Amino acid sequence: MKSEAKARPAPRVRGRRLGAFVFLSPGLTYLVVLLLVPLGLVLSYTVFQRGRFGGVVYEFTTENFTRLIDPLYLGVVGDSLRIAGLTTLIALLVGYPTAYLIAQLPSRWKTLALVAVVLPFWTNFIIRVYAWIMLLSGPGLVNSALGKLGLGPYELLYHEGTIVTGLLYSYLPLMVLPLYAAIERLDPQLREASANLGASAFTTFRKVTLPLSVPGVLSGCLFVFVPSFGNFVIPEMLGGNKSTMVGNLIRDQFLKARDWPFGSTLALALIAVLVALLVVQAWAARRA
């Protein structure tokens, strides 16, 4: 009897487990239905063939993986890496001074500055992209201002620079916020000690502030690079047909070419790259 009583969990423990299950079940259901099941379908489609009129023919093949190294698709990946990398670099150069200045503000101004940073997120993503089209189009506000100065008009849309501008505008807050959090957490006594030891403000920044904020830099770079690399809305609307990124390529395989197996293989490759980046970021953050 004593052994059975020890084997069974106490009513309080069972109640806790039941409560935890009830609270976790919506999140677990969400993960299973909207993440694991679609991911399993994508993974399974990669080894099957495309149907004659689209869809999937359940006959095993490895051709989808060999097509990944086709120069045409490698070129698209290279363009995506270049655009996403340039966007991330500019976001870092703009976001770090912004986050640093916000961290130095008085408390009441910090809140207003942070609200200003996240304010664009209060508007729908597509509307923000359309706003850039209206600003940069032929009769738009920018060309009108340039025309009054005798400098225009110019064709400002459908360039790679326009795509980078759109991505930078959309994801800059994702760089500023982790940088601000990393700088705000720094112990001010460390900088005071550096100054008391005779270090200049630049030396204190270079040897104290910057190294200690590296985890924020890594997180911000990852938060900007990942959505920029897989984005297909901004390249489509601001880049026209002149630039194709990985996101556009995957969408076209599903909706236009109806080549679901190869689209799934591209999506799986993209997921693998992003997971590798997450692992590298976590490893670098631990060593920083």
Side-chain angles (χ1 to χ4, degrees):
M1 293 295 291
K2 289 184 177 179
S3 60
E4 291 181 0
K6 289 182 179 179
R8 292 180 179 178
R12 182 177 296 179
V13 175
R14 290 201 300 270
R16 288 178 180 174
R17 291 178 180 176
L18 180 61
F21 177 76
V22 169
F23 280 107
L24 289 175
S25 56
L28 291 175
T29 304
Y30 175 86
L31 287 176
V32 171
V33 175
L34 299 180
L35 179 64
L36 296 182
V37 172
L39 187 60
L41 288 174
V42 167
L43 183 62
S44 63
Y45 285 172
T46 59
V47 295
F48 295 128
Q49 300 180 18
R50 175 183 182 272
R52 184 176 180 182
F53 302 104
V56 180
V57 174
Y58 295 97
E59 296 179 4
F60 181 80
T61 181
T62 58
E63 182 185 357
N64 299 314
F65 291 96
T66 58
R67 289 175 64 188
L68 287 177
I69 58 175
D70 187 293
L72 174 64
Y73 304 124
L74 291 179
V76 174
V77 173
D79 292 342
S80 302
L81 289 172
R82 186 182 68 255
I83 292 174
L86 182 60
T87 303
T88 305
L89 177 62
I90 298 175
L92 178 61
L93 295 177
V94 175
Y96 199 102
T98 305
Y100 186 84
L101 290 175
I102 293 175
Q104 310 307 315
L105 291 175
S107 299
R108 59 178 180 175
W109 293 110
K110 284 182 184 177
T111 304
L112 290 176
L114 291 174
V115 170
V117 169
V118 300
L119 195 60
F121 281 105
W122 297 0
T123 307
N124 183 273
F125 181 81
I126 301 297
I127 293 177
R128 281 182 278 153
V129 179
Y130 270 116
W132 275 105
I133 294 176
M134 295 177 67
L135 284 173
L136 301 177
S137 63
L141 183 63
V142 175
N143 265 324
S144 298
L146 292 175
K148 291 180 181 179
L149 298 174
L151 300 176
Y154 295 106
E155 182 59 60
L156 300 175
L157 284 174
Y158 312 131
H159 296 289
E160 190 171 299
T162 314
I163 299 175
V164 173
T165 302
L167 292 172
L168 180 64
Y169 171 76
S170 298
Y171 300 127
L172 182 59
L174 300 182
M175 176 67 79
V176 173
L177 294 179
L179 281 172
Y180 166 77
I183 297 172
E184 181 68 12
R185 284 199 303 267
L186 297 183
D187 188 350
Q189 293 183 350
L190 295 175
R191 282 175 283 188
E192 292 176 5
S194 176
N196 291 336
L197 292 173
S200 64
F202 178 72
T203 302
T204 300
F205 172 78
R206 184 167 58 87
K207 293 191 175 182
V208 178
T209 305
L210 186 59
L212 293 177
S213 62
V214 166
V217 172
L218 295 173
S219 298
C221 290
L222 190 68
F223 290 166
V224 174
F225 183 85
V226 169
S228 299
F229 186 66
N231 193 287
F232 64 92
V233 175
I234 291 177
E236 180 80 17
M237 298 177 69
L238 297 183
N241 296 322
K242 295 182 179 179
S243 298
T244 300
M245 295 181 67
V246 171
N248 304 84
L249 183 62
I250 294 174
R251 181 209 55 187
D252 291 345
Q253 295 303 316
F254 281 99
L255 301 182
K256 294 182 179 179
R258 292 182 58 77
D259 192 347
W260 292 11
F262 186 56
S264 299
T265 307
L266 286 169
L268 184 65
L270 179 62
I271 293 171
V273 170
L274 299 183
V275 170
L277 288 175
L278 285 172
V279 173
V280 171
Q281 186 268 341
W283 173 79
R286 283 198 302 270
R287 294 179 61 87

